[in-house]
Amino acid sequence: MNSTEIIQSASDTASSCPFASIPPIFWLVPIASIVALGFALYFYKSMKKEEAGTEIMQKIASHVRAGAFAYLKQQYKIVGIVFVVIAAIFAYLGWVAGIQNKWVWVAFLTGGFFSGLAGFFGMKTATYASSRAAWAANHSLDKGLRVAFRSGAVMGLTVVGLALLDISVWFLILNAFVEDASASKKMVIITTTMLTFGMGASLQALFARVGGGIFTKAADVGADLVGKVEAGIPEDDPRNPATIADNVGDNVGDVAGMGADLYESYCGSVLATAALGAAAFMSDPATQMKAVLAPMLIASVGTILSVIGIYCVKVKSGANSKQLLGALGKGVNVSSVLIILSSLAILKFLNLPNVWGNWAAIIVGLVVGILIGKVTEYFTSEAYAPTKRIAEQAQTGPATVIIGGMGTGMFSTCYPVLLIVVGTALSYMFAANWDISNMASGLYGIGIAAVGMLSTLGITLATDAYGPIADNAGGNAEMSGLGKEVRRRTDMLDALGNTTAATGKGFAIGSAALTALALLASYVEEIRMGIAHGVGGGGKADAAVAALGKLGKTLENANLVDFMNVYEVHLMNPRVLLGLFIGSMMAFLFCGLTMNAVGRAATQMVNEVRRQFREKLGIMEGKAEPDYARCVEISTKAAQKEMIIPALLAVFAPVLVGLVFGVAGVLGLLAGALAAGFVLAVFMANSGGAWDNAKKFIEQGNYGGKGSEAHKAAVIGDTVGDPFKDTSGPSLNILIKLMSMVAIVMAGVTVACSMF
Amino acid sequence: MNSTEIIQSASDTASSCPFASIPPIFWLVPIASIVALGFALYFYKSMKKEEAGTEIMQKIASHVRAGAFAYLKQQYKIVGIVFVVIAAIFAYLGWVAGIQNKWVWVAFLTGGFFSGLAGFFGMKTATYASSRAAWAANHSLDKGLRVAFRSGAVMGLTVVGLALLDISVWFLILNAFVEDASASKKMVIITTTMLTFGMGASLQALFARVGGGIFTKAADVGADLVGKVEAGIPEDDPRNPATIADNVGDNVGDVAGMGADLYESYCGSVLATAALGAAAFMSDPATQMKAVLAPMLIASVGTILSVIGIYCVKVKSGANSKQLLGALGKGVNVSSVLIILSSLAILKFLNLPNVWGNWAAIIVGLVVGILIGKVTEYFTSEAYAPTKRIAEQAQTGPATVIIGGMGTGMFSTCYPVLLIVVGTALSYMFAANWDISNMASGLYGIGIAAVGMLSTLGITLATDAYGPIADNAGGNAEMSGLGKEVRRRTDMLDALGNTTAATGKGFAIGSAALTALALLASYVEEIRMGIAHGVGGGGKADAAVAALGKLGKTLENANLVDFMNVYEVHLMNPRVLLGLFIGSMMAFLFCGLTMNAVGRAATQMVNEVRRQFREKLGIMEGKAEPDYARCVEISTKAAQKEMIIPALLAVFAPVLVGLVFGVAGVLGLLAGALAAGFVLAVFMANSGGAWDNAKKFIEQGNYGGKGSEAHKAAVIGDTVGDPFKDTSGPSLNILIKLMSMVAIVMAGVTVACSMF
């Protein structure tokens, strides 16, 4: 019995069971979720069993943990209020005004909840892991790697596990409750509804990234500028009042923020692809079901393969840096090769139309992700020419370092963009069987390429999350006076993390672009649903149906191009052009707000640290304890206050543009934000990374080494780069997707209420 | 006899005279050109009659002049080669391959020639004016203003005079030589052909801006970093080896570069609007002629009004700074008010359809230009909060200054973008009589708003060009030891210039955006011509005609939306989306290349100046003369070498995208470059301006004043801002328009040869 028969027979079964229409293969999704969460729990428990180090190490770790949780509690309070207000608005629009899907408010809340939960678990693990990883590194390098990496894996597996849980539970619930005579229409309703929980996840992720990013960089910049540059004490020196805040920041920004961010990308890519699949194959319910399941199954199998990959990361005791890198690489490579093979098996089993084309799209996605990672590494690692050149420019002072880093970052955008262009074109053309007019299949191909890229997120995120854990372990070792050797080892682990993080960033940024492209197409599907909601009211929805009728189409059989025609989404329409301008501006405005927030908070931090050094004379001699709590408080307050406006801006922009310029304006806005935001994000991430490593290159003894004028210049470059690469840059990815998600959720309102 | 009768009777006249079809009112255009050029000559002669100062002043001025002309000669050599090669390609495509208008190569060459000539005359004037303005300032402040401002006026009037000359000569020639049975088709051919000479002007402008920008900023950065920061000597100190290069740079970058740039904007807006008018009113030859003439006439009257405005700039002897600013403002305001009144008269006389709507569009253009200028001033002047805040952040070091300036610059983009959005929407809607589907009239309205904005360029450019002249006068005074009082006066004149330059920049940047929007629409008209060229060859042109036929349209009566349909220029088309990505990336890549060029050249300059200080010990004591020529040479070589790649990139990108992704891809590219490039340009200009003035604010004695740590940090910010505001930022405006122009010129090739 092949898959079609299985699926067919499943839908033939009596409808007594609400899940009868769901093919058995679907159950792989919840199973993968349980596997991932189970292993996450197991790794967490075995990490907790490790020795937590000396008393002072535990004390420092508990300080950091307390600060991190205090921050997160504050953050979730504010975020909670925002979520309740927005959910109430959605409930009103759905139940009272009746211009929207009624379940959006629940989907919104659960998306936000799970995304926040992923961040919370990741951070909890990280704060327990730091002293343990430091203590393990005290024993040996390879033991340090194992503890840090397995802790990172907790985060990776929690994110994918929760995402698959959320997806499978919702899929089952909606299958049971959505009622529609036509099976294929039902599936469109299910997938478009599921897509809306992406908005909750995105909004949570934005708060986490922006709030966490401001927190961590205010502390980092403040600690570096006064500690390293002015007072000349090393990083993480316990005499520095901002050092605890700096370590708290690593946890709330780099760990919790990243967790929420990638949770969102992962769900977004799977759900957007499912929605595109449901739309593309509406004419044939059996094929439609396969197209909806394919992204979920690829993600599920990828999750199981990630666990296998994690087990492949092993090093012999006494391994050197290269062997460590090889071990990490092996884990990722094993998972990637296996997912390529398994995805062919999945597609073959499902017997989707154009198996080879879709498989090729998946491979394209993975390869592009890897290549973007390589390019990122080339432009940001001190092993290559661009970063070395920036270090060289440090000899002529901070101004030339900054100019050089900016220039390099801007120049470096061309490669990722060209890779995305080629990757998108190829995945589209493969999936469309080389017929460019076969738009529905081609766009599905772009979605499936994004899913392919993110399928092994369980392990790629582990290699990414492990970096901040190693960094924190180093901080802990430094503060508790464990000695130079441990610090050297944690530095090695951290440096390793920087290299793998480059790959991770490649996947994050590449998948964001592809997912956003897929979301653009999904938005048009939501417009179809939005029109359906409004039909019969005598308003704009009826006018749209009439316009489709003039093209000889109905609301059901109209394709994407018909909607483009009806809403005039072409480049001579002033609504589209002005939307493009606003979208492009949004990316810059958002960065401006977050950069300014970091600048303001860092200035406060610098003044506070200077004040403490000045007023408490015993600090520098190590006789008086600095007031760490005050610095944590400054960062917390600044982050809480400054994250609101950028987040609300991202929520309101698509709504307002929709109300004024309609569907055409919104699509212009999203396309403009995507095109400009993606390039801006790459620029900021690469400039920031290059400055960071140019400084490291000098610290290795080049151009005068530590303490030289060149080093001081490079530290200034690094400090400017901090908000680039850890606040504004990564938030842009979420901004782009959040705006798409808001547009998707508000599609009904846009259809019904636009002015022009 | 009203205008319609005049025009009608003109075309009724026997065709013995080749200009018979041209209404007499047209002759206002060449007359305005002659008036402008005549007054430019007069102002030039009276400037030359002024005393040139002491012998040492004349010597310094001749050094600077020699350097500037040596540079320009070098530059024109290289540019000449590029122009000859490209013209040959155009000649081949037109005459041999036959897929393009045959006169493009001539149009291309003349556009480039006149644009270069405008820069040359401006620079010649500026280099003679500097010592004279300094000497005049030695007498009194108001005399200094008069000399400097009248010299700036030479530049302003030369630019508009040459532009109107070029336009009127070509209009006459083409009217005499283009043959077509239908008068309205003939006019479309004439206007679309004329548009192609914009490419020559754009390319020349790009070379001038990029080459000049690299030259001036390499010298400036080098001079500042070693002179001001390391050696602690004042700006323009004759002991600094880079100081002559710095002054040469002001002339080749700020004067010649700006002249070529605005020549290009001015022609572009007039010609794009004429082409849109010809297309919009094809059904009615008499109205069509009016719509073509309207932008030319508004520009002509604006030119004459600019001369009146220039004569209004008068100050009594002993005037203070506020009175000086008032005098300059009065000149601009008088011209602006008069052009508002006269343009109504012009429209009334022509009796264009929807006189009031088009008049409203002109007013919108002027108001938006002024408001963008005000916003620019707010974000970059030390009189307002944003710049003061950046100065405050200088107290915590260079890193926070840089972060603050970047944040402020990015944030500041929202106002100009919103102004452009509102301005575009209003000018479109006014001209379209509030019917959004009246696309042809609406787009014409956007064009006419741009013309309105630039109509008084004669005087706004005068207030802009006067800044670098005052700056150079200050340099001359400093180097020749004229004493502090003169320097104080020239500094006052320079500061005044900064304020008026903010307004000038508002016009430049606003008009670039509007013109680029108009060019986007003109591109579609060129596609129509491109198809017409290729019809009958059995290729893609025939396919396009057939596709139009399916919509029930012919090549002649198809409107813009029909072309959007045939070429699928909607936002679900992957060609469009990928074009958007590439366009957005182009803006960043271009900035990256130019920033890196400045960084590299500045590093060379710093090393050279350090070397001279180290090896020639007498320099610092004023006993040995530094080797100025070597520094000029470094800047010249760097500029020559580094300007080629960015320029060629801008030329080839639209061609390559067209060959791969066709018309839809090119429109995506242009829209993406416009949306991202405009915002990026505003960001870079405003960050750079704010850093500059934050430094000035500290130099006024705040936060420790000159020599304090805060001042050092602010100088670093200013140095980073130099390539932002004077190299990369302003070049972006040209990049956007050059890419549009290349696309326009290559429309035939794109239609005939695209792959997908």
Side-chain angles (χ1 to χ4, degrees), chain A residues 514-543:
Chain A
L514 292 185
T515 305
L517 280 170
L519 287 175
L520 221 54
S522 310
Y523 173 67
V524 182
E525 289 307 323
E526 296 283 344
I527 289 297
R528 191 198 304 268
M529 301 304 296
I531 296 175
H533 266 278
V535 159
K540 303 211 169 201
D542 291 318

Short mmCIF file of all heavy atoms in Angstrom, two decimals, chain A residues 514-543:
data_model
loop_
_atom_site.label_atom_id
_atom_site.label_comp_id
_atom_site.label_asym_id
_atom_site.label_seq_id
_atom_site.Cartn_x
_atom_site.Cartn_y
_atom_site.Cartn_z
N LEU A 514 14.10 33.48 3.16
CA LEU A 514 13.23 32.56 2.42
C LEU A 514 11.85 32.48 3.06
O LEU A 514 10.83 32.47 2.37
CB LEU A 514 13.86 31.16 2.37
CG LEU A 514 15.14 31.02 1.54
CD1 LEU A 514 15.57 29.56 1.49
CD2 LEU A 514 14.93 31.52 0.12
N THR A 515 11.83 32.43 4.40
CA THR A 515 10.54 32.35 5.08
C THR A 515 9.71 33.59 4.80
O THR A 515 8.50 33.51 4.55
CB THR A 515 10.74 32.20 6.60
OG1 THR A 515 11.57 31.07 6.83
CG2 THR A 515 9.42 32.00 7.31
N ALA A 516 10.38 34.75 4.83
CA ALA A 516 9.65 35.98 4.57
C ALA A 516 9.08 35.99 3.16
O ALA A 516 7.96 36.45 2.93
CB ALA A 516 10.55 37.19 4.80
N LEU A 517 9.84 35.45 2.21
CA LEU A 517 9.31 35.35 0.83
C LEU A 517 8.08 34.45 0.81
O LEU A 517 7.07 34.76 0.16
CB LEU A 517 10.39 34.80 -0.11
CG LEU A 517 11.44 35.79 -0.59
CD1 LEU A 517 12.57 35.08 -1.31
CD2 LEU A 517 10.81 36.82 -1.53
N ALA A 518 8.18 33.31 1.53
CA ALA A 518 7.04 32.40 1.57
C ALA A 518 5.85 33.07 2.26
O ALA A 518 4.70 32.88 1.86
CB ALA A 518 7.43 31.11 2.28
N LEU A 519 6.14 33.86 3.31
CA LEU A 519 5.05 34.53 4.02
C LEU A 519 4.34 35.55 3.13
O LEU A 519 3.14 35.76 3.25
CB LEU A 519 5.59 35.24 5.28
CG LEU A 519 5.97 34.33 6.45
CD1 LEU A 519 6.60 35.15 7.56
CD2 LEU A 519 4.76 33.57 6.97
N LEU A 520 5.12 36.17 2.24
CA LEU A 520 4.54 37.12 1.30
C LEU A 520 3.44 36.44 0.48
O LEU A 520 2.35 36.98 0.28
CB LEU A 520 5.65 37.60 0.37
CG LEU A 520 5.73 39.06 -0.02
CD1 LEU A 520 5.76 39.96 1.18
CD2 LEU A 520 7.02 39.29 -0.84
N ALA A 521 3.76 35.23 0.01
CA ALA A 521 2.78 34.48 -0.76
C ALA A 521 1.62 34.02 0.13
O ALA A 521 0.46 34.04 -0.28
CB ALA A 521 3.44 33.29 -1.43
N SER A 522 1.95 33.63 1.37
CA SER A 522 0.89 33.19 2.28
C SER A 522 -0.06 34.34 2.57
O SER A 522 -1.26 34.14 2.79
CB SER A 522 1.48 32.71 3.60
OG SER A 522 2.50 31.80 3.39
N TYR A 523 0.49 35.54 2.60
CA TYR A 523 -0.35 36.71 2.87
C TYR A 523 -1.47 36.78 1.84
O TYR A 523 -2.62 37.06 2.18
CB TYR A 523 0.50 37.98 2.83
CG TYR A 523 -0.32 39.25 2.93
CD1 TYR A 523 -1.00 39.56 4.10
CD2 TYR A 523 -0.41 40.13 1.86
CE1 TYR A 523 -1.75 40.72 4.20
CE2 TYR A 523 -1.16 41.29 1.95
CZ TYR A 523 -1.83 41.58 3.12
OH TYR A 523 -2.58 42.71 3.21
N VAL A 524 -1.11 36.52 0.59
CA VAL A 524 -2.14 36.58 -0.45
C VAL A 524 -3.22 35.52 -0.20
O VAL A 524 -4.41 35.77 -0.41
CB VAL A 524 -1.51 36.44 -1.85
CG1 VAL A 524 -2.57 36.54 -2.92
CG2 VAL A 524 -0.45 37.51 -2.06
N GLU A 525 -2.79 34.36 0.30
CA GLU A 525 -3.79 33.34 0.66
C GLU A 525 -4.70 33.83 1.78
O GLU A 525 -5.90 33.55 1.81
CB GLU A 525 -3.10 32.03 1.06
CG GLU A 525 -2.45 31.28 -0.09
CD GLU A 525 -3.43 31.04 -1.24
OE1 GLU A 525 -4.62 30.79 -0.98
OE2 GLU A 525 -3.00 31.14 -2.40
N GLU A 526 -4.10 34.55 2.75
CA GLU A 526 -4.91 35.08 3.85
C GLU A 526 -5.90 36.12 3.34
O GLU A 526 -6.98 36.28 3.90
CB GLU A 526 -4.01 35.70 4.93
CG GLU A 526 -3.09 34.73 5.63
CD GLU A 526 -3.82 33.86 6.67
OE1 GLU A 526 -4.95 34.20 7.07
OE2 GLU A 526 -3.23 32.85 7.07
N ILE A 527 -5.49 36.82 2.28
CA ILE A 527 -6.41 37.80 1.68
C ILE A 527 -7.64 37.07 1.14
O ILE A 527 -8.78 37.52 1.32
CB ILE A 527 -5.69 38.57 0.55
CG1 ILE A 527 -4.66 39.52 1.13
CG2 ILE A 527 -6.68 39.32 -0.33
CD1 ILE A 527 -5.24 40.60 2.01
N ARG A 528 -7.39 35.91 0.54
CA ARG A 528 -8.52 35.11 0.04
C ARG A 528 -9.47 34.78 1.20
O ARG A 528 -10.68 34.96 1.09
CB ARG A 528 -7.98 33.82 -0.59
CG ARG A 528 -9.01 33.02 -1.38
CD ARG A 528 -8.58 31.58 -1.59
NE ARG A 528 -7.29 31.40 -2.23
CZ ARG A 528 -7.09 31.26 -3.55
NH1 ARG A 528 -8.12 31.30 -4.35
NH2 ARG A 528 -5.89 31.07 -4.03
N MET A 529 -8.89 34.35 2.33
CA MET A 529 -9.72 34.02 3.50
C MET A 529 -10.41 35.28 4.02
O MET A 529 -11.56 35.26 4.45
CB MET A 529 -8.87 33.43 4.63
CG MET A 529 -8.12 32.16 4.28
SD MET A 529 -9.20 30.86 3.67
CE MET A 529 -10.19 30.60 5.14
N GLY A 530 -9.66 36.38 3.99
CA GLY A 530 -10.22 37.64 4.48
C GLY A 530 -11.42 38.06 3.65
O GLY A 530 -12.44 38.51 4.19
N ILE A 531 -11.30 37.90 2.33
CA ILE A 531 -12.44 38.24 1.45
C ILE A 531 -13.62 37.34 1.79
O ILE A 531 -14.75 37.79 1.94
CB ILE A 531 -12.04 38.09 -0.04
CG1 ILE A 531 -10.94 39.10 -0.40
CG2 ILE A 531 -13.26 38.31 -0.93
CD1 ILE A 531 -10.41 38.93 -1.81
N ALA A 532 -13.33 36.03 1.95
CA ALA A 532 -14.39 35.07 2.25
C ALA A 532 -15.17 35.48 3.50
O ALA A 532 -16.40 35.37 3.57
CB ALA A 532 -13.80 33.67 2.42
N HIS A 533 -14.43 35.98 4.51
CA HIS A 533 -15.09 36.43 5.74
C HIS A 533 -16.04 37.58 5.50
O HIS A 533 -17.05 37.71 6.17
CB HIS A 533 -14.03 36.88 6.76
CG HIS A 533 -13.66 35.79 7.69
ND1 HIS A 533 -14.38 35.46 8.80
CD2 HIS A 533 -12.61 34.94 7.66
CE1 HIS A 533 -13.80 34.46 9.41
NE2 HIS A 533 -12.72 34.12 8.74
N GLY A 534 -15.64 38.45 4.58
CA GLY A 534 -16.40 39.70 4.43
C GLY A 534 -17.49 39.64 3.37
O GLY A 534 -18.28 40.57 3.24
N VAL A 535 -17.51 38.52 2.60
CA VAL A 535 -18.46 38.47 1.48
C VAL A 535 -19.91 38.55 1.97
O VAL A 535 -20.24 37.98 3.01
CB VAL A 535 -18.23 37.16 0.68
CG1 VAL A 535 -19.46 36.81 -0.15
CG2 VAL A 535 -17.03 37.32 -0.23
N GLY A 536 -20.71 39.29 1.23
CA GLY A 536 -22.12 39.40 1.59
C GLY A 536 -22.44 40.64 2.39
O GLY A 536 -23.59 40.97 2.62
N GLY A 537 -21.40 41.34 2.81
CA GLY A 537 -21.63 42.55 3.60
C GLY A 537 -21.83 43.77 2.71
O GLY A 537 -22.03 44.88 3.20
N GLY A 538 -21.72 43.57 1.40
CA GLY A 538 -21.91 44.69 0.48
C GLY A 538 -20.72 45.62 0.43
O GLY A 538 -20.79 46.69 -0.17
N GLY A 539 -19.61 45.23 1.03
CA GLY A 539 -18.45 46.12 1.11
C GLY A 539 -17.36 45.78 0.12
O GLY A 539 -17.63 45.27 -0.98
N LYS A 540 -16.14 46.04 0.53
CA LYS A 540 -15.00 45.86 -0.36
C LYS A 540 -14.76 44.41 -0.73
O LYS A 540 -14.20 44.12 -1.79
CB LYS A 540 -13.75 46.43 0.30
CG LYS A 540 -13.91 47.90 0.67
CD LYS A 540 -12.61 48.64 0.61
CE LYS A 540 -12.90 50.13 0.72
NZ LYS A 540 -11.84 50.97 0.22
N ALA A 541 -15.15 43.49 0.18
CA ALA A 541 -14.98 42.07 -0.13
C ALA A 541 -15.82 41.69 -1.34
O ALA A 541 -15.35 40.98 -2.23
CB ALA A 541 -15.34 41.22 1.08
N ASP A 542 -17.05 42.19 -1.36
CA ASP A 542 -17.89 41.89 -2.52
C ASP A 542 -17.32 42.50 -3.80
O ASP A 542 -17.37 41.89 -4.86
CB ASP A 542 -19.30 42.43 -2.28
CG ASP A 542 -20.01 41.65 -1.18
OD1 ASP A 542 -19.89 40.41 -1.18
OD2 ASP A 542 -20.64 42.28 -0.32
N ALA A 543 -16.77 43.69 -3.66
CA ALA A 543 -16.17 44.34 -4.83
C ALA A 543 -15.01 43.50 -5.35
O ALA A 543 -14.83 43.35 -6.57
CB ALA A 543 -15.69 45.74 -4.46
#
